[in-house]
Amino acid sequence: ISGWKTGINAPGQLSEDAQGNLYVANGYLNRLSTNPAVLIFAHGANGNVAPIRKLAGTLTGLHNVEAITVDQVTGKIFIVDAASFCGFPCDVSLLRFPPKAAGNTAPFARSGSLLPAVQLASNSTGQSVIEARSISATTAAEFGVDTIVKQFANGAQPDFTYDISYFDVSGVADDPTTKTYLVTSGTGIYRLEENTVTSGISPLVLKPAPVSIITSDTCGRQLALGYLRNIYVTHSTSGNCPADAVYVYTHDSSGNVAPLRVLSGLGTKLSEPYGIYEGK
């Protein structure tokens, strides 16, 4: 899907609704784009085609669309948006829109945060949205994953936090069949328990125990668990990371294993890939 009709400019994360329509977070890092929006393309869309719907405009509250997920049951749209050109702390909001929202539509609810969220996913219970966050290595205590209950009152804050502060988290995905989370981090790709150890009272902090390390690869950015349960991880050329690529691992990978396969090279057309998603 590419070309002027699509309106795609600096795309970030992807998601999909139950009908297979593709949702594109457009305008990731607003300093690269003046068109923050969510573009919705029909299932099977290909080539230079226009989206079937577009969520954009002043009422939406969109500035820098960082992440998106669509509830597969209710169809509600969850978007993480950050203020343009923000430093740290940054004005980050979790915006919730009704199913099939389009045009210059205001969100029906929002909550605020000071931490830049980099990816969203739904957990295995179908009741929560998982939000990975990652900031400067000099403040490692801020790294972690928030789990935010979906059906909370307008303006409410997250009830609890999954504290994995020893990770520099980039991406997160839920593995509902094993009740674990997959995370990419500055120390590797890990599988973490959903069942947690509780500590603290306010706020309630839940510390997930690592189940296994999938690989010590520290170049992973975003990841997705495909519907055939392979693990897809994006790589982008920077620092010690040598190539733009997508690494594919088997679902049961454990113990610092090599990837099942790697997509990389001129023929792939990959250039600093960020978001990734596999539909059915």
Side-chain angles (χ1 to χ4, degrees):
I1 303 175
S2 179
W4 67 271
K5 290 182 181 179
T6 68
I8 293 175
N9 185 359
Q13 271 292 50
L14 307 173
S15 190
E16 193 176 56
D17 62 22
Q19 290 72 47
N21 296 316
L22 181 66
Y23 290 65
V24 180
N26 204 53
Y28 172 70
L29 293 178
N30 199 38
R31 55 184 62 88
L32 300 177
S33 171
T34 57
N35 300 299
V38 173
L39 307 177
I40 300 98
F41 294 91
H43 177 66
N46 185 41
N48 188 15
V49 295
I52 57 174
R53 297 197 310 278
K54 178 180 180 180
L55 183 61
T58 56
L59 294 180
T60 65
L62 300 180
H63 302 91
N64 174 9
V65 185
E66 296 207 23
I68 183 171
T69 191
V70 181
D71 189 312
Q72 295 292 298
V73 177
T74 68
K76 292 178 182 177
I77 305 166
F78 296 80
I79 298 171
V80 170
D81 185 87
S84 304
F85 299 100
C86 63
F88 182 81
C90 181
D91 181 14
V92 179
S93 298
L94 175 63
L95 308 175
R96 281 146 289 158
F97 292 88
K100 298 183 179 180
N104 192 11
T105 301
F108 66 80
R110 72 167 63 211
S111 64
S113 171
L114 293 179
L115 298 171
V118 294
Q119 185 172 357
L120 292 176
S122 295
N123 77 357
S124 60
T125 66
Q127 297 301 312
S128 300
V129 171
I130 305 166
E131 174 185 344
R133 47 190 168 86
S134 176
I135 59 173
S136 169
T138 60
T139 53
E142 302 293 351
F143 296 138
V145 174
D146 289 342
T147 301
I148 304 169
V149 176
K150 286 180 180 177
Q151 309 298 337
F152 56 92
N154 186 22
Q157 296 296 312
D159 325 55
F160 50 83
T161 297
Y162 284 100
D163 176 13
I164 52 173
S165 57
Y166 45 92
F167 293 114
D168 173 5
V169 176
S170 293
V172 60
D174 185 65
D175 184 356
T177 60
T178 60
K179 296 190 183 303
T180 59
Y181 297 129
L182 303 169
V183 295
T184 55
S185 75
T187 56
I189 303 174
Y190 288 81
R191 184 181 294 277
L192 306 173
E193 289 182 351
E194 271 191 15
N195 295 324
T196 57
V197 177
T198 302
S199 67
I201 298 175
S202 181
L204 180 62
V205 176
L206 306 173
K207 295 182 179 293
V211 175
S212 63
I213 181 171
I214 295 172
T215 172
S216 60
D217 171 18
T218 60
C219 293
R221 300 182 73 187
Q222 300 289 12
L223 81 165
L225 183 66
Y227 76 98
L228 294 179
R229 304 187 73 206
N230 283 334
I231 302 166
Y232 297 84
V233 183
T234 58
H235 280 215
S236 183
T237 303
S238 64
N240 295 323
C241 302
D244 296 319
V246 174
Y247 280 56
V248 185
Y249 296 91
T250 60
H251 175 263
D252 57 356
S253 293
S254 178
N256 201 18
V257 299
L260 177 67
R261 59 183 186 272
V262 177
L263 304 176
S264 183
L266 293 176
T268 66
K269 306 297 185 185
L270 291 172
S271 177
E272 297 189 20
Y274 186 76
I276 188 165
Y277 182 87
E278 185 189 25
K280 294 182 180 180

